[in-house]
Amino acid sequence: MSEDYRDILLVDDDAVIRAVLSDMLEPAGFKVRHATNGIDALQIMQEDHPSIVITDWVMSPMDGIEFCRLLRQRKLPHYAYVILLTAKSLADDLVTGLGAGADDFLTKPVNQGELIARLQTALRILEQEHRLNELARQDPLTGVLNRRTFYEVFEMEWNRVLRYHHPLSCVMVDVDYFKKINDTYGHLAGDHVLKSLSQSLEAQSRATDHICRWGGEEFCLLLPETNEQGAHLWAERCCAAIAETAFSSGRHRLTMTASFGVAEWREDLQSPEHLLDLADQALYAAKRAGRHRVVSFGSLASAQSLSAGNEGRYSIEGAGASGHCLIEPSSVFKSAKVPTAPTPC
Ligand code: GH3
Ligand code: MG
């Protein structure tokens, strides 16, 4: 059983019962905290989010049934498993308790073996719930955030920035000529490369950064506490690291490049979508300028070579294409560095 969900909130107005239950739970490895009524319990749930609640029914000023009802209306970071503990034992009581939002029902006097067995069920359910939650948040191929979750995270970071005015940057990353990998070696090889690429982006990022698979071979990152200059430096480092990495795809190893578009939060931006659009415009400019490069929206907007033609989007002119994907049999690669004289796609 996991240790992670072994924190229990005991809600009972009777100090003796709380002490008896603690004596049963703590030797079994549970961390126990106490509340004497539903109101205090709700506050603890909101602040500390214990995983499991064992609550009495009859308490004042808020009883266990009302507590369950209100708890289920709250938005908590994870599911709280609730066991209702009561002297009531009629079928109608059970229906009322479960209907109010309890997951299980235990009648007094409590048998220690039964209590621990029921808690084992609770732990199994909480672990499954956690796993499902993770799956719903992740892109199935790469394991980074999916787009839906990324929007939720973006909304949170956006609100934080509106309040504290700390810097926040957004980076769009798109692999150059990725289609060539699929066309030459098939989608499975392409998938393998995408997984390695997302790992490489994760390795270059801070724990507080957010990485999302935006779609296809495009990734989007949110860098809190980072201004455009800092994000540009980060992207330059990533851009170089990707170009120097030999990605394996079955029998072959290949090198490739990626293009980056960077933009930072400004007061005149109306929404997360607006910031995404600026990063996208910078990425578009990077592609047009020859790929395998980083373009910041700020530099774009002030660049002399700026042209506002192109459907109202900014662009810059490049010195010629330099992005590539290069494919060679793996025997050519003795190290993870770029091979000599490969065939450009
Ligand atoms: P550019 O440098 O302009 O970005 O060219 P590109 O070839 O990278 O871009 P394009 O948009 O022409 O092609 C992207 C390709 O990415 C086409 C699509 O088949 C492939 N793709 C999208 N999603 C996946 C995926 O999940 N797995 C694999 N293997 N390929 C994917
Ligand atoms: Mg691409």
Side-chain angles (χ1 to χ4, degrees):
M1 273 189 295
S2 158
E3 298 297 311
D4 298 342
Y5 307 108
R6 290 173 170 262
D7 51 332
I8 295 185
L9 176 62
L10 275 183
V11 194
D12 202 308
D13 52 359
D14 187 331
V16 175
I17 294 197
R18 291 202 310 274
V20 169
L21 288 172
S22 291
D23 285 349
M24 291 180 179
L25 295 167
E26 281 166 357
F30 290 94
K31 201 177 100 198
V32 181
R33 71 188 93 185
H34 297 188
T36 55
N37 62 67
I39 293 177
D40 292 353
L42 274 179
Q43 186 155 356
I44 292 173
M45 292 307 293
Q46 197 72 46
E47 286 166 5
D48 297 336
H49 330 297
S51 304
I52 301 174
V53 186
I54 299 176
T55 179
D56 189 20
W57 184 316
V58 182
M59 293 176 294
S60 166
M62 183 190 289
D63 69 14
I65 294 296
E66 184 63 5
F67 163 66
C68 282
R69 278 204 193 97
L70 292 177
L71 181 68
R72 293 309 181 208
Q73 289 167 15
R74 298 273 169 110
K75 203 172 170 201
L76 299 175
H78 62 74
Y79 189 75
Y81 192 92
V82 179
I83 300 177
L84 196 57
L85 179 66
T86 174
K88 297 174 190 277
S89 57
L90 298 177
D92 281 353
D93 298 328
L94 189 102
V95 170
T96 305
L98 297 180
D103 297 285
D104 201 357
F105 201 87
L106 200 56
T107 48
K108 295 177 185 173
V110 177
N111 172 286
Q112 183 173 16
E114 184 182 352
L115 175 64
I116 301 301
R118 285 178 187 271
L119 286 170
Q120 280 170 339
T121 304
L123 292 176
R124 271 202 310 276
I125 288 172
L126 288 169
E127 274 168 13
Q128 289 302 321
E129 193 263 346
H130 177 74
R131 248 179 71 76
L132 285 176
N133 232 343
E134 286 290 299
L135 288 175
R137 288 172 59 81
Q138 288 170 354
D139 166 57
L141 177 66
T142 60
V144 297
L145 297 181
N146 60 28
R147 206 158 158 164
R148 184 181 61 81
T149 311
F150 186 72
Y151 269 116
E152 283 173 20
V153 170
F154 207 155
E155 203 69 45
M156 254 169 42
E157 294 291 354
W158 189 262
N159 290 334
R160 208 191 306 270
V161 167
L162 290 184
R163 184 172 178 91
Y164 300 110
H165 286 217
H166 289 186
L168 174 70
S169 289
C170 179
V171 183
M172 285 281 190
V173 186
D174 188 280
V175 182
D176 299 327
Y177 304 115
F178 185 73
K179 193 168 178 304
K180 183 77 181 176
I181 295 170
N182 281 333
D183 290 351
T184 312
Y185 296 105
H187 266 69
L188 278 182
D191 285 356
H192 196 81
V193 170
L194 288 177
K195 276 190 231 174
S196 307
L197 181 71
S198 68
Q199 283 161 7
S200 169
L201 289 172
E202 275 182 314
Q204 303 281 336
S205 308
R206 295 177 183 159
T208 46
D209 297 338
H210 309 286
I211 308 176
C212 153
R213 177 142 176 243
W214 192 245
E217 21 70 89
E218 193 171 2
F219 293 83
C220 183
L221 290 101
L222 208 53
L223 312 184
E225 305 293 334
T226 311
N227 62 18
E228 193 171 280
Q229 200 185 6
H232 192 102
L233 281 173
W234 174 86
E236 289 278 12
R237 214 173 54 228
C238 266
C239 189
I242 290 169
E244 283 171 12
T245 303
F247 292 88
S248 90
S249 71
R251 287 184 301 111
H252 296 85
R253 287 187 141 196
L254 54 97
T255 61
M256 62 196 180
T257 60
S259 302
F260 291 69
V262 178
E264 73 176 334
W265 176 81
R266 302 183 322 220
E267 279 196 47
D268 62 318
L269 300 184
Q270 304 300 316
S271 63
E273 285 78 9
H274 202 165
L275 178 54
L276 283 165
D277 182 57
L278 300 193
D280 204 36
Q281 289 191 46
L283 172 62
Y284 182 77
K287 288 284 182 185
R288 275 184 54 105
R291 297 171 171 79
H292 184 203
R293 68 193 61 212
V294 180
V295 171
S296 293
F297 184 81
S299 65
L300 246 195
S302 58
Q304 287 204 329
S305 54
L306 176 153
S307 81
N310 204 5
E311 298 167 12
R313 297 188 151 237
Y314 293 116
S315 65
I316 54 173
E317 298 308 318
S322 62
H324 64 266
C325 76
L326 308 165
I327 306 170
E328 283 282 313
S330 58
S331 57
V332 173
F333 293 81
K334 298 291 181 227
S335 74
K337 290 290 172 189
V338 184
T340 49
T343 316
C345 300

